[in-house]
């Protein structure tokens, strides 16, 4: 019964399933109308550009270009997603990720360096605190950043964060290094290898313009230094906490909404670089965040950091480099076009390129500030310049602690990561002395006591702490608060503070440094400007000789501004330090070779997609770091003496492990523009345009004697209009210019009012085609007052334009006109002789 009963339902079910239900009329003709319309719309969207190109008679290459760009975007997104997944996998299961084959550059720091310790207890603590850290970050965005953005501009009055989610993955510390040697007993120095890979969602909206944008993931990796100082005998035992990055961290951002356009190849690197520049202005050495734990008086010195020293680098020559240039698909080997990348912390220099030479001689000199030498090294990489991607010729890393101990090193170093090659360096550690006892000797050593130039090797360092201003005038509009900024200059070197919006009592708290050639006859010029209306709010001039007679060569006070309000003051702390090379007494048989650190990653690790850091090189406008080298201007007066020395005379000494993958961030294959850094005191290191002009002069001379004006002359009319408060410059004509080609030259005139070399301060004439005696008759003006313009210099350069992608672009001649003349209000018209580099300014009296 049970079996029969069991079969009945199954049979019934089978029979029921075997019968087919009659189909409703028209069911076979049912159509998915929305899907069909969507398909037609997609097909129309694909065919429309092709039809439009044909209708307009354009080339089919535009379609191929669009398809190529689309494939490039998708590939770039795929690579970014894979890197994010790999980093997330490393955070979730480090052991499993290593077993699957993680590259050496992705391993945590404690794998490479025995003195770097794991900090799992700290990571567990951060993970437990992460939800509360996220709450603090959200509160910071909504209560601090959002009101600040709204108040910055009227167009952003409807700005708001619609979502702030930092993600579930906490910040991770991959390794901790504690410094116990060569540090002050009243401080603790920690280096944290931090890594943050977050699936965060930060969305913002500007309702007024219906604009939405945001970020969906962020990666940031870098070395953060934490300094606990001073240590005190009372609670909380630490006076203050200082935090900063030793160098720019690695950053990668995935955008959403309108900012998704920033993920397009080419724009993604630019956007990340801009954000890194913003981070550098606050968190990259020498900038730092100081959190006081006791009273302000005890940590005042922490907000006025003095560099530990200055490193003078003589980049002399190399020998036996590898030949990387090949011909006939590698069958014929050629030479190389070597150049060097020199890096000290966040300061980057690039040498001149020496064409077709395996034993190049650069004879260039650079000067760099050293703020934290435990953890900072001198890094040098040599490359062969190529049209597409530069080839690697070797690298070198020298511990600055060794250089400080020895004071002076003049050695040949064997290059790492290559089969052969040696580099000759001379390194000088300059100590910062707080008195002027040995200033005359220093000036004599660098020959600054005889020449009248303001540029060259440095004898002193000027350190300026810009604190605040009070009672600034309203500017052009009455009863309106200005947007003040401060411009500071010494000679032709200028720096600029950040802008403070809508206030007459701004607070900056920024540090600036200037290399000084001769403090006895150079001045510090300070001007407060209103960024909104481009007008002056007051100025100040301080002779540096005043600091030489001050206590500890330091002035800390409120300065009364001239050409400003009756009670307008600017508070600054200014210190001058003499740069002295202290030679140590050594026995005659003493021998030493600097400690060289071997890289911990291979050349493959260098080829990671690391963003360029040349945009933060010191000396650029808008940053508060010092220019790492003064602008060259000594010409032939300080050519370095070459000492004949056999390469085998100084073999490479002991080496040590200790180079991280982050030390290679300046690889030229990722640089936006390869521009050589001007050397201080070497003829061969003049800018390329100037040197090419000198070579062209030698060719033109060809055994004959050139006239008094071999480069020709330019006629200018210069006067100052007191009614318009402007400097008027009329460029009339040029005569007897040199020819760039058989057809002559295509000259035009470019002008700057130094020290302002911003793009907005540049003036240019039209281009005259194929002539050596062009006539321009164009008038230009600069908005500047008469007292101020008498402290400025007019930089006039005649250049050859050439065509698009032409090689015939270059300098035809230059002249510097000092405007310190009482006749400026009346004006004058005069012919000026053009020179190669304009280093001999002509003063009109």
């Amino acid at each position: 019964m049970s079996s029969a009963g069991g079969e009945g339902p199954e049979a019934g079910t089978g029979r029921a399933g075997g019968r087919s239900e009659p189909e409703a009329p028209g069911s076979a003709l049912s159509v998915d109308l929305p899907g069909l319309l969507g398909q037609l719309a997609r097909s129309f969207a694909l065919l429309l550009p092709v039809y439009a190109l044909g209708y307009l008679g354009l080339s089919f290459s535009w379609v191929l270009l669009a398809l190529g760009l689309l494939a490039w975007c998708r590939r770039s997104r795929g690579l970014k997603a894979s890197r994010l997944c790999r980093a997330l996998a490393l955070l979730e299961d480090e052991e499993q990720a290593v077993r699957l084959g993680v590259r050496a550059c992705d391993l945590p720091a404690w794998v490479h360096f025995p003195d770097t310790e794991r900090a799992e207890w700290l990571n567990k603590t951060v993970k437990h605190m992460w939800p509360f850290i996220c709450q603090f970050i959200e509160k910071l965005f909504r209560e601090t950043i959002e009101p600040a953005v709204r108040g910055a501009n009227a167009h952003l009055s409807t700005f708001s964060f619609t979502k702030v989610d930092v993600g579930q993955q906490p910040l991770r510390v991959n390794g901790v290094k504690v410094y116990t040697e060569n540090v002050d007993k009243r401080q603790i120095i920690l280096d944290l290898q931090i890594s943050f890979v977050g699936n965060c969602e930060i969305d913002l909206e500007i309702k007024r313009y219906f604009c939405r944008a945001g970020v969906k993931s962020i990666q940031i990796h870098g070395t953060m230094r934490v300094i606990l100082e001073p240590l005190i005998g009372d609670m909380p035992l630490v006076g203050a906490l200082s935090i900063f990055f030793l160098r720019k961290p690695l950053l990668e951002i995935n955008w959403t909404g309108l900012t998704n356009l920033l993920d397009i190849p080419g724009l993604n690197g630019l956007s990340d670089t801009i954000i890194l520049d913003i981070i550098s202005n606050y968190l990259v050495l020498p900038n730092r965040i100081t959190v006081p734990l006791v009273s302000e008086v005890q940590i005042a010195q922490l907000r006025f950091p003095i560099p530990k020293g200055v490193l003078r680098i003589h980049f002399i020559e190399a020998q036996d480099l590898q030949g990387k240039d090949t011909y006939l698909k590698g069958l014929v080997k050629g030479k190389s076009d070597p150049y060097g990348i020199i890096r000290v912390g966040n300061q980057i220099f690039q040498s001149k390129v020496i064409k077709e030479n395996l034993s190049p001689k650069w004879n260039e000199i650079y000067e760099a500030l050293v703020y934290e030498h435990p953890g900072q090294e001198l890094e040098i990489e040599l490359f062969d310049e190529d049209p597409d991607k530069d080839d690697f010729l070797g690298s070198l890393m020298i511990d600055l602690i060794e250089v400080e101990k020895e004071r002076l090193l003049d050695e040949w170093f064997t290059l790492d990561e290559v089969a052969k090659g040696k580099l000759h360096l001379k390194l000088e550690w300059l100590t910062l002395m707080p008195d002027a006892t040995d200033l005359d000797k220093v000036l004599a050593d660098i020959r600054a006591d005889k020449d009248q130039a303001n540029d060259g090797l440095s004898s002193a360092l000027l350190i300026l702490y810009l604190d605040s201003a009070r009672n600034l005038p309203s500017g052009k509009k009455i009863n309106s608060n200005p947007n003040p900024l401060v411009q500071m200059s010494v000679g032709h070197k200028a720096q600029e503070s950040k802008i403070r919006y809508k206030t007459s009592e701004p607070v900056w708290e920024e540090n600036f440094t200037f290399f000084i050639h001769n403090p006895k006859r150079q001045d510090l010029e300070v001007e407060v400007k209103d960024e909104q209306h481009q007008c002056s709010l007051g100025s100040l001039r301080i002779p540096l000789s005043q600091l030489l007679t001050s206590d500890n060569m330091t002035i800390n006070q409120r300065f009364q501004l001239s050409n400003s309000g009756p009670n307008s003051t600017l508070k600054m702390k200014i210190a001058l330090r003499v740069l002295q090379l202290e030679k140590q007494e050594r026995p005659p048989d003493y021998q030493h070779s600097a400690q060289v650190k071997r890289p911990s990653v291979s050349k493959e690790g260098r080829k990671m997609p690391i963003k360029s850091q040349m945009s933060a090189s010191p000396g650029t406008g808008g940053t508060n770091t010092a220019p790492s080298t003064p602008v060259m201007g000594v010409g032939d007066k300080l050519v370095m003496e070459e000492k004949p020395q056999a390469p085998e005379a100084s073999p490479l000494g002991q080496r040590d492990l200790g180079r991280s993958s982050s030390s290679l961030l300046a690889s030229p294959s990722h640089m936006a523009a390869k521009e050589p850094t001007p050397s201080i005191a070497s003829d061969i290191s003049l800018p390329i345009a100037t040197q090419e002009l000198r070579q062209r002069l030698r060719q033109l001379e060809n055994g004959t004697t050139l006239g008094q004006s071999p480069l020709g002359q330019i006629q200018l009319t210069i006067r100052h209009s007191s009614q318009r408060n402007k400097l008027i410059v009329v460029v009339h004509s040029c005569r007897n210019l040199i020819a760039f080609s058989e057809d002559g030259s295509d000259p035009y005139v470019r002008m700057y009012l130094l020290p302002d070399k911003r793009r907005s301060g540049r003036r240019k004439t039209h281009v005259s085609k194929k002539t050596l005696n062009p006539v321009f008759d164009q008038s230009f003006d600069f908005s500047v007052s008469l007292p101020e313009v008498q402290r400025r210099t007019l930089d006039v350069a005649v250049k050859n334009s050439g065509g698009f992608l032409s090689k015939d672009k270059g300098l035809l001649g230059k002249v510097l006109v000092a405007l310190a003349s009482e006749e400026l209000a009346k004006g004058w018209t005069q012919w000026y002789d053009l020179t190669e580099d304009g280093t001999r300014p002509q003063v009109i009296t």
Side-chain angles (χ1 to χ4, degrees):
M1 292 292 294
S2 60
S3 60
E7 293 174 358
E10 290 181 11
T13 305
R15 288 189 296 267
R19 293 192 300 265
S20 59
E21 296 291 336
E23 295 182 359
S27 61
L29 301 176
S30 62
V31 178
D32 184 8
L33 189 59
L36 181 60
L37 292 176
Q39 178 103 16
L40 290 174
R42 285 192 293 271
S43 302
F44 180 76
L46 290 174
L47 294 176
L48 180 61
V50 181
Y51 173 78
L53 289 175
Y55 180 78
L56 296 175
L58 300 177
S59 173
F60 187 72
S61 301
W62 290 100
V63 178
L64 298 179
L65 182 63
L67 292 176
L69 182 60
L70 181 61
W72 191 11
C73 291
R74 290 186 176 181
R75 181 176 177 274
S76 177
R77 282 180 170 276
L79 291 175
K80 187 176 288 188
S82 66
R83 290 194 297 269
L84 178 62
C85 293
R86 187 168 62 248
L88 286 172
L90 181 64
L91 289 178
E92 292 176 358
D93 193 343
E94 184 175 332
E95 182 178 357
Q96 181 66 18
V98 172
R99 288 178 178 176
L100 291 177
V102 180
R103 296 177 300 176
C105 56
D106 289 332
L107 292 174
W110 56 266
V111 177
H112 300 294
F113 311 113
D115 55 353
T116 301
E117 304 174 12
R118 301 186 66 176
E120 288 305 314
W121 65 271
L122 183 57
N123 290 323
K124 293 176 181 178
T125 304
V126 173
K127 184 177 181 179
H128 189 72
M129 296 173 57
W130 191 247
F132 304 96
I133 296 175
C134 293
Q135 293 179 15
F136 167 75
I137 293 176
E138 182 176 1
K139 185 177 180 181
L140 178 68
F141 271 77
R142 297 191 184 278
E143 298 183 4
T144 303
I145 299 179
E146 185 175 306
V149 174
R150 286 183 174 182
N153 195 296
H155 297 285
L156 301 176
S157 59
T158 57
F159 173 89
S160 64
F161 288 103
T162 57
K163 185 177 183 179
V164 179
D165 183 7
V166 187
Q168 301 300 320
Q169 291 292 343
L171 178 76
R172 182 173 178 81
V173 180
N174 293 326
V176 178
K177 180 176 181 179
V178 182
Y179 290 90
T180 57
E181 298 179 357
N182 302 304
V183 296
D184 195 329
K185 293 182 179 179
R186 297 191 63 187
Q187 67 176 191
I188 298 174
I189 299 179
L190 307 172
D191 279 353
L192 307 181
Q193 306 286 339
I194 66 168
S195 177
F196 176 65
V197 183
N199 289 324
C200 59
E201 291 186 35
I202 303 176
D203 298 330
L204 58 90
E205 181 183 17
I206 304 177
K207 296 181 180 179
R208 181 176 179 179
Y209 300 103
F210 305 99
C211 175
R212 294 184 180 182
V215 174
K216 63 180 179 182
S217 69
I218 296 178
Q219 288 193 60
I220 185 168
H221 310 272
T223 301
M224 176 176 286
R225 172 156 294 185
V226 179
I227 300 180
L228 308 175
E229 67 170 337
L231 301 180
I232 56 179
D234 298 324
M235 294 301 293
L237 301 181
V238 178
L241 178 71
S242 298
I243 302 173
F244 55 88
F245 283 101
L246 288 174
R247 62 194 63 176
K248 284 185 178 181
L250 302 182
L251 178 68
E252 189 167 298
I253 300 176
N254 282 343
W255 304 92
T256 61
L258 184 63
T259 50
N260 201 28
L261 294 173
L262 298 178
D263 269 334
I264 296 176
L267 289 180
N268 55 356
L270 178 62
S271 61
D272 292 352
T273 302
I274 293 174
I275 295 174
L276 276 175
D277 290 340
I278 297 174
I279 295 175
S280 300
N281 287 336
Y282 293 94
L283 267 177
V284 177
L285 195 69
N287 305 300
R288 62 186 69 196
I289 292 179
T290 302
V291 181
L293 303 179
V294 294
S295 63
E296 291 285 335
V297 177
Q298 294 176 333
I299 66 156
Q301 58 183 357
L302 301 179
R303 292 186 174 175
F304 189 62
I306 303 282
K308 297 292 190 300
V310 171
L311 181 65
R312 182 174 291 161
I313 307 162
H314 298 253
F315 192 64
I316 303 175
E317 60 181 323
Q319 282 191 359
D320 199 23
L321 298 180
Q322 290 181 326
K324 292 290 186 177
D325 294 338
T326 58
Y327 307 96
L328 298 178
K329 296 186 177 180
L331 296 178
V332 180
K333 289 190 175 181
K335 297 184 179 181
S336 294
D337 305 324
Y339 68 93
I341 297 294
I342 305 159
R343 175 171 181 162
V344 179
N346 205 36
Q347 303 161 87
I348 303 174
F349 316 95
Q350 177 171 329
S351 74
K352 187 186 186 317
V353 179
I354 306 296
K355 296 291 185 180
E356 296 290 330
N357 200 327
L358 298 182
S359 298
K361 293 186 179 181
W362 291 283
N363 291 331
E364 297 186 343
I365 306 177
Y366 304 102
E367 292 175 343
L369 299 174
V370 181
Y371 282 88
E372 299 287 336
H373 55 281
Q376 276 193 313
E377 296 89 14
L378 169 63
E379 305 168 43
I380 299 177
E381 292 178 321
L382 300 184
F383 291 89
D384 167 37
E385 186 185 48
D386 287 323
D388 48 0
K389 184 178 181 181
D390 296 349
D391 297 318
F392 179 70
L393 294 177
S395 65
L396 185 67
M397 178 179 284
I398 299 176
D399 195 340
L400 293 184
I401 296 179
E402 299 292 324
V403 182
E404 183 187 15
K405 289 179 181 178
E406 296 300 316
R407 304 295 178 181
L408 176 63
L409 287 174
D410 189 351
E411 298 184 10
W412 283 87
F413 299 91
T414 301
L415 296 173
D416 283 326
E417 300 186 85
V418 288
K420 61 179 183 177
K422 298 178 181 179
L423 182 63
H424 185 194
L425 297 175
K426 180 181 176 182
L427 305 176
E428 298 175 344
W429 180 272
L430 305 179
T431 306
L432 275 61
M433 307 300 293
D435 59 80
T437 306
D438 299 320
L439 178 60
D440 292 334
K441 180 179 180 299
V442 173
L443 293 174
D445 290 341
I446 64 173
R447 304 180 186 178
D449 55 341
K450 297 180 179 179
D451 60 37
Q452 298 297 316
N454 289 328
D455 297 316
L457 294 178
S458 303
S459 64
L461 182 71
L462 180 67
I463 309 160
L464 187 151
Y465 177 69
L466 178 63
D467 188 285
S468 59
R470 286 184 182 176
N471 303 318
L472 294 180
S474 58
K476 289 187 176 181
K477 291 186 178 180
I478 302 177
N479 298 327
S480 66
N481 288 327
N483 297 337
L485 61 89
V486 180
Q487 291 181 345
M488 295 143 287
S489 63
V490 178
H492 293 163
K493 295 164 288 186
Q495 298 187 64
E496 193 173 276
S497 73
K498 298 182 180 68
I499 303 171
R500 294 294 180 256
Y501 293 95
K502 304 297 182 182
T503 177
S504 59
E505 298 195 354
V507 177
W508 287 284
E509 295 184 343
E510 296 182 52
N511 298 309
F512 302 88
T513 47
F514 291 89
F515 284 108
I516 306 300
H517 183 58
N518 189 342
K520 291 186 175 181
R521 45 184 180 74
Q522 288 185 272
D523 299 335
L524 169 67
E525 299 181 9
V526 182
E527 183 177 13
V528 185
K529 286 189 173 183
D530 182 3
E531 187 272 339
Q532 184 177 4
H533 301 103
Q534 291 297 317
C535 63
S536 177
L537 300 178
S539 60
L540 177 68
R541 175 192 284 261
I542 303 175
L544 297 184
S545 57
Q546 182 179 343
L547 287 164
L548 297 175
T549 58
S550 302
D551 184 26
N552 201 32
M553 295 174 67
T554 303
I555 298 177
N556 185 10
Q557 68 181 58
R558 285 195 171 273
F559 296 89
Q560 179 69 41
L561 293 174
S562 59
N563 302 319
S564 184
N567 299 318
S568 299
T569 58
L570 186 67
K571 184 177 181 181
M572 296 187 298
K573 183 177 181 181
I574 310 171
L576 189 69
R577 295 292 182 264
V578 177
L579 302 180
Q580 183 177 1
L581 176 62
E582 297 179 334
K583 296 182 180 179
Q584 298 187 0
E585 296 294 333
R586 300 292 187 188
D589 57 345
Y590 179 81
Q591 292 183 356
H592 177 82
S593 183
Q595 182 177 3
V596 179
K597 295 187 176 182
R598 187 182 299 276
S600 62
V601 295
S602 62
K603 286 185 288 184
E604 285 73 14
R606 177 181 285 100
K607 296 176 183 178
M608 293 175 58
I610 302 173
K611 303 296 182 292
S612 167
Q613 297 206 15
M614 286 294 281
S615 60
S617 61
T620 55
T623 63
N624 59 346
T625 57
S628 302
T629 62
V631 181
M632 70 87 205
V634 195
D636 304 312
K637 295 183 181 179
L638 291 173
V639 177
M640 226 169 20
E641 181 181 358
E642 296 183 16
K643 299 179 181 179
Q645 181 178 358
E648 294 78 18
S650 299
L652 184 67
Q654 59 182 1
R655 298 174 181 175
D656 189 20
L657 296 174
R659 184 173 184 177
S660 65
S661 60
S662 60
S663 68
L664 302 166
L665 300 181
S667 178
S669 58
H670 307 290
M671 289 181 181
K674 295 182 292 184
E675 292 292 338
T677 307
S679 171
I680 305 173
S682 174
D683 175 66
I684 197 173
S685 64
L686 294 176
I688 293 178
T690 304
Q691 183 147 357
E692 290 178 348
L693 185 57
R694 289 189 171 180
Q695 292 175 356
R696 194 173 296 110
L697 270 179
R698 297 188 188 105
Q699 295 172 1
L700 290 174
E701 187 173 1
N702 196 20
T704 62
T705 303
L706 296 176
Q708 295 182 351
S709 305
L711 297 180
Q713 295 178 314
I714 183 172
Q715 187 183 33
L716 303 173
T717 295
I718 304 174
R719 68 180 181 89
H720 187 271
S721 173
S722 57
Q723 295 179 348
R724 300 172 59 189
N725 204 28
K726 290 184 178 182
L727 175 70
I728 310 298
V729 180
V730 182
V731 181
H732 295 288
S733 60
C734 300
R735 62 187 180 189
N736 303 326
L737 299 179
I738 63 174
F740 240 81
S741 63
E742 295 179 356
D743 297 329
S745 299
D746 299 333
Y748 69 93
V749 179
R750 183 272 300 151
M751 291 184 293
Y752 286 111
L753 189 60
L754 299 179
D756 184 9
K757 296 195 71 173
R758 294 177 297 178
R759 191 177 185 88
S760 59
R762 182 174 62 184
R763 306 291 187 269
K764 290 174 58 177
T765 67
H766 65 265
V767 178
S768 294
K769 295 291 185 179
K770 299 180 180 179
T771 177
L772 302 181
N773 299 285
V775 177
F776 300 103
D777 287 331
Q778 288 185 251
S779 178
F780 303 91
D781 59 72
F782 297 87
S783 296
V784 59
S785 63
L786 182 59
E788 180 186 355
V789 77
Q790 291 179 336
R791 302 194 300 264
R792 309 284 280 272
T793 301
L794 184 64
D795 180 355
V796 183
V798 183
K799 294 188 173 185
N800 187 65
S801 175
F804 182 64
L805 298 179
S806 172
K807 295 182 179 180
D808 292 333
K809 296 181 180 180
L811 183 67
L812 294 174
K814 192 174 182 181
V815 61
L816 294 176
V817 182
L819 302 175
S821 170
E822 297 179 356
E823 302 295 325
L824 188 60
K826 297 180 181 178
W828 62 80
T829 301
Q830 182 171 329
W831 285 96
Y832 294 88
D833 293 335
L834 296 173
T835 61
E836 299 95 336
D837 50 19
T839 55
R840 297 184 294 275
Q842 304 190 27
V843 182
I844 307 302
T845 57

